[in-house]
Amino acid sequence: MHDYVIVDVFTTVALEGNPLAVFLNAADIPAARMQLIAREMNLSETTFVLPAQGDGDRRVRIFTPVNELPFAGHPVLGTAAVLGESTARSGLRLETAAGTIPVDLQYPSDGTVSARMRQPVPVWEPYRLRDDLLDALGIKSSTLPVDAYRNGPRHVYVGVGSEAALSRVQPDLRALARHPDMAAICFAGSGTRWRMRMFSPAYGVAEDAATGSAAGPLAVHLARYGLVPFGQQIEILQGVEMGRPSHMSARADATGQRPHTVEVSGSAVITAYGTLLV
C-alpha cells in the first residue's frame, strides 16, 4: 500500500487549478509500476517522492499517463507544497532529472501554500514543422515566430491575436499527435497579463489546466521579441476553457539578451488524501 495526496496547483481554490497526485515514500516502487500508477490516476502528471541522491532534500520522478518527464512545473511546485505543508519549511531543493530545483515556500493563513521555483533556463530554436503545426491547431498564422523551448519537456509557442480567438482554438488532436515530444502552447495577451492554453497528445494530455514548465519559457519568449522587458514579472491565466482557472506568475532575468534566471510562482491547496492498495 502507498499513501498519496491530491493537490490542486496554481490556485487558492480547491477543485480549480491543475490537480496532481503525489506519492510519498515511493522508494520501493519500480519505474514500470510508477508509469502504471500514473496511467491509473489519469491526471496530467503524477509524482513519486524518493530519498535524495545528491544536493537536494528529496528526489522527485514525474510521470504523465504515457511517459516520464525530466522536469515539469506544476508537479514540482505541487510536490514542494505537499512536503512543505507537513514540515512548514521555508524552502526545499527537489532533485529532478533536469537538475535540482530550489523552491521557496510561504504559508498564508487561508490554508494554502505559496511557492516560487527557479526553473532550468530553457534552450530554444525555430520549430521546423511550423506550417504543419498551425494546420493541426487550426490557426492561420502566429503573432510571433514559432519557436521550440526545452527545459525538460519541449514547448512550442504560437501567438494568437486575441483572448477570444484563443478560446476558439480547437486543435485536430490526431494531427497534433504526429508532432512528437512536444506540447503546443497557444498564447494571447499584452503587457503583464497573458492567457495560455496547452495541447499535447504526445505527452498523453489533450489539454492541460496549468503548465508551469511553459510559463517560464513564455516569459523568455515575450522578452526575446520585445513584448515585455527581461526582469518584468508577468501574470498568466490558463485552464479557463476547461473550467479549471489557474494563475501563474513568471519572470525571466537576463544579462543583455541572454536569460540566466527563470522563476515561476503560484499557490496550491491540498484537496484529498488516499491509499493505493496494490
Side-chain angles (χ1 to χ4, degrees), residues 49-250:
V49 180
L50 309 164
Q53 291 183 330
D55 62 348
D57 298 295
R58 298 286 194 281
R59 183 162 64 100
V60 180
R61 297 186 70 170
I62 305 165
F63 288 80
T64 78
V66 300
N67 66 340
E68 184 174 7
L69 296 176
F71 168 77
H74 107 272
V76 168
L77 191 143
T79 301
V82 169
L83 293 171
E85 192 270 342
S86 64
T87 63
R89 292 185 56 167
S90 62
L92 289 166
R93 293 172 58 82
L94 298 182
E95 297 173 8
T96 74
T100 300
I101 309 299
V103 186
D104 296 326
L105 299 166
Q106 294 182 336
Y107 307 92
S109 58
D110 59 2
T112 65
V113 180
S114 297
R116 182 178 72 249
M117 60 182 159
R118 181 172 292 187
Q119 297 187 342
V121 175
V123 295
W124 61 83
E125 62 183 359
Y127 188 59
R128 62 183 182 84
L129 300 177
R130 171 190 179 277
D131 292 343
D132 288 342
L133 177 60
L134 293 178
D135 287 343
L137 293 168
I139 296 174
K140 292 183 179 180
S141 62
S142 175
T143 58
L144 291 179
V146 177
D147 291 340
Y149 290 74
R150 187 180 289 280
N151 60 0
R154 185 170 67 143
H155 300 298
V156 181
Y157 290 81
V158 176
V160 181
S162 69
E163 293 183 5
L166 180 66
S167 290
R168 292 194 297 269
V169 173
Q170 293 184 315
D172 180 339
L173 294 178
R174 282 180 175 268
L176 195 56
R178 293 195 288 269
H179 291 254
D181 184 26
M182 63 84 74
I185 308 298
C186 299
F187 65 92
S190 63
T192 61
R193 297 192 176 275
W194 295 83
R195 283 269 307 277
M196 192 166 75
R197 296 179 71 185
M198 177 276 220
F199 308 99
S200 184
Y203 293 153
V205 181
E207 183 167 1
D208 197 24
T211 315
S213 59
L218 177 61
V220 175
H221 192 59
L222 297 174
R224 286 182 59 227
Y225 290 106
L227 273 67
V228 299
F230 278 110
Q232 173 67 60
Q233 180 168 292
I234 62 171
E235 306 300 324
I236 303 168
L237 175 61
Q238 190 178 342
V240 173
E241 292 75 14
M242 303 174 65
R244 299 200 65 114
S246 304
H247 300 269
M248 298 173 280
S249 299

